Amino acid sequence: MVKIAIALTGWFLLGCYLFLEYREYGPAFLRHLSAGDHTGQMIFHGVMFLMPLITAAFAYLIHQKDNLLKNMASERARQDAILGAIGEGISIQDTHFRILYQNPIHRKLLGDHVGEFCYTAFQNREHVCEGCHLAMTFKDGKTHTKERQMPTDKGTVYLEVAASPMTDLSGKIIAGIEVVRDITGWRRYETRLRESERKYRELVETANSVILTWDTEGNITFVNDFAERFFGYAKEELLGRNVVG
């Protein structure tokens, strides 16, 4: 409605102007409009007659601006939905290391820090961290990955952070994208696996039984301490021997 009112304003102004001219000059007002006493007056007459076109064009520009803002908002919402559905924390930082964007998962992992410098928000530092993976990305334009630990109320959280460059159409790096993956479960699994392997090796090494392992070709790959004593050979002499031949 506002845009229609703006477009019609030009006709209203032109109508008022013609009415005032008629009151001033009577039926001869058209001759006055076409003649004019000087150049400035002729320009003014021309502007008034063009007023409907001017206001219509202004209303059209407002309409186009509204459509552009609407499309931008729709595109932003679509991008946010995509980035939020990826399942990993994503942030965008400018070349000065200021955080421009965080998706919901990133905010859940590290807190809301949009507008802050990453080295202050995540490391409580006043300057860029030494060996910063994002700084390396800005320098060579490649993807760099690092792991970091973060203490929480539920224990230590292990994160894998990958930084990649964001470029403009000319290829100039204008920002960096960080993808943060929570690898705590994997790290804990690795720890449990190593502990299980250690306990298994201790059990096998201390068993009072001969324990050997060999590959598919029959070559010995493992000898426990009891087997070494039982056969009277050092482990180095037994390893690699073939149990078939």
Side-chain angles (χ1 to χ4, degrees):
M1 290 297 294
V2 174
K3 286 173 281 189
I4 294 176
I6 292 174
L8 294 177
T9 299
W11 290 104
F12 174 76
L13 293 174
L14 178 58
C16 292
Y17 179 65
L18 293 177
F19 175 74
L20 292 174
E21 285 290 308
Y22 181 80
R23 287 189 58 183
E24 181 70 21
Y25 298 101
F29 81 99
L30 291 176
R31 186 169 64 252
H32 173 261
L33 291 175
S34 60
D37 297 333
H38 49 77
T39 303
Q41 191 176 57
M42 290 297 295
I43 294 175
F44 180 74
H45 292 333
V47 170
M48 292 307 299
F49 276 104
L50 290 175
M51 192 59 68
L53 291 177
I54 294 173
T55 55
F58 186 63
Y60 177 75
L61 290 176
I62 294 176
H63 175 71
Q64 290 295 93
K65 182 207 71 172
D66 290 345
N67 282 343
L68 178 61
L69 293 176
K70 182 178 179 181
N71 292 336
M72 289 175 61
S74 177
E75 181 65 19
R76 177 63 183 272
R78 187 175 71 89
Q79 291 177 358
D80 287 348
I82 293 174
L83 293 175
I86 287 178
E88 296 176 347
I90 296 177
S91 68
I92 299 176
Q93 302 170 30
D94 64 19
T95 53
H96 299 293
F97 302 92
R98 189 182 297 277
I99 302 169
L100 304 177
Y101 170 82
Q102 292 177 277
N103 73 344
I105 293 179
H106 196 280
R107 291 196 298 270
K108 182 178 180 180
L109 283 172
L110 300 172
D112 191 348
H113 298 287
V114 172
E116 301 177 29
F117 292 107
C118 62
Y119 48 81
T120 302
F122 305 140
Q123 299 293 335
N124 196 28
R125 296 172 178 263
E126 296 183 358
H127 304 286
V128 177
C129 305
E130 183 178 353
C132 174
H133 59 299
L134 187 58
M136 296 169 64
T137 292
F138 288 150
K139 184 177 181 180
D140 60 20
K142 298 179 181 179
T143 298
H144 293 274
T145 304
K146 68 175 295 184
E147 292 185 13
R148 53 178 296 206
Q149 301 179 20
M150 184 176 67
T152 68
D153 296 338
K154 298 180 180 179
T156 301
V157 173
Y158 296 87
L159 303 174
E160 180 184 76
V161 186
S164 300
M166 177 184 289
T167 62
D168 59 16
L169 294 177
S170 67
K172 179 183 177 182
I173 297 177
I174 57 175
I177 301 177
E178 282 192 345
V179 178
V180 180
R181 181 182 295 109
D182 187 347
I183 58 172
T184 304
W186 175 250
R187 282 295 177 214
R188 289 174 179 171
Y189 170 77
E190 283 187 328
T191 302
R192 290 196 298 268
L193 181 61
R194 286 195 296 269
E195 182 65 18
S196 296
E197 290 177 344
R198 184 187 64 79
K199 290 180 178 179
Y200 173 76
R201 182 171 291 275
E202 288 180 354
L203 179 64
V204 170
E205 290 285 4
T206 58
N208 290 321
S209 301
V210 173
I211 299 178
L212 305 174
T213 62
W214 53 84
D215 59 23
T216 55
E217 297 178 355
N219 299 314
I220 298 175
T221 58
F222 174 78
V223 179
N224 72 339
D225 292 344
F226 187 85
E228 185 181 33
R229 295 192 301 271
F230 181 82
F231 291 114
Y233 291 96
K235 291 182 180 180
E236 291 74 15
E237 297 177 274
L238 293 173
L239 291 173
R241 287 196 176 190
N242 193 282
V243 298
V244 179

